[in-house]
Amino acid sequence: WVMAKLRARGHEAVLVDVAALELPILDKMWKEIKQNPPPKYAELHTKLAPLAELYARVDGFCIVSAEYNHSIPPGLTNLIDHFLEEYFWRPSAIVCYSATPFGGVRAAMQLRAMLAEVGMPSIPSIQPIPSIGTALTKDGVALTQELAEKSGKFFDEFDWYMRAYKAERVKGVPY
């Protein structure tokens, strides 16, 4: 659903699937292994290099997160922590979901703090998806009127922040 919404707005939406990456628990960040990785980190380097290249060219990050024990899923935290400078001066947007009526907002609040800390502050709005099992079809079509109607404002806001940050990055960043 998120990918379709972003593509409909003309964005190149690339899915980064945490589970498919099968990253080890953080031992070394990308910045520590990107130049001449020791043999121990060759496989990790192979997994992270395409992401570093992707992250360097994006204008923003739309983070889609479940809620795990009222928090951010550990795999997502681990993925985010592997990078740092690649996130700088790019906004993030948070789409959160859960099986409950809360829609993952507890994870979203923790994500806000984390994303700001790594250099990709979140836009003011979030897009919660409550009762995920009945909110979307398997093909990603919104089944609730609220989700279909209210998501436009969220994606409009994300578009605005991506354009604004991009314009300012072109002028230079403060460091």
Side-chain angles (χ1 to χ4, degrees):
W1 175 78
V2 171
M3 301 286 285
K5 289 289 189 185
L6 291 170
R7 287 181 180 141
R9 291 167 170 270
H11 297 291
E12 175 192 3
V14 178
L15 176 66
V16 177
D17 184 343
V18 174
L21 284 171
E22 297 180 340
L23 293 176
I25 293 175
L26 181 67
D27 178 18
K28 296 282 186 188
M29 293 179 71
W30 170 247
K31 66 183 180 180
E32 298 171 297
I33 65 167
K34 67 181 173 182
Q35 302 295 330
N36 304 314
K40 174 182 176 183
Y41 296 105
E43 183 181 351
L44 180 60
H45 187 277
T46 301
K47 289 179 179 187
L48 295 181
L51 289 179
E53 188 177 300
L54 171 67
Y55 292 178
R57 63 182 173 85
V58 303
D59 292 323
F61 296 91
C62 188
I63 310 294
V64 179
S65 179
E67 185 174 281
Y68 181 82
N69 289 338
H70 296 198
S71 186
I72 307 165
L76 178 56
T77 299
N78 189 49
L79 170 61
I80 292 169
D81 285 345
H82 273 86
F83 295 95
L84 188 61
E85 289 86 357
E86 293 76 13
Y87 302 132
F88 288 0
W89 314 111
R90 289 168 174 81
S92 61
I94 301 170
V95 176
C96 51
Y97 64 91
S98 72
T100 71
F102 296 111
V105 297
R106 294 170 290 205
M109 294 305 98
Q110 293 178 35
L111 269 168
R112 277 191 192 274
M114 179 184 199
L115 297 173
E117 183 62 28
V118 298
M120 56 170 154
S122 66
I123 65 172
S125 297
I126 62 170
Q127 179 60 65
I129 305 175
S131 306
I132 190 68
T134 58
L136 298 166
T137 67
K138 290 181 182 182
D139 297 328
V141 176
L143 292 173
T144 68
Q145 181 120 5
E146 182 178 2
L147 184 57
E149 291 176 357
K150 291 189 176 181
S151 63
K153 177 186 176 289
F154 171 79
F155 288 106
D156 287 345
E157 191 174 310
F158 187 38
D159 282 338
W160 187 94
Y161 274 88
M162 285 191 289
R163 287 191 314 272
Y165 274 58
K166 182 178 183 176
E168 290 302 310
R169 279 194 317 274
V170 168
K171 296 177 190 176
V173 295
Y175 56 81

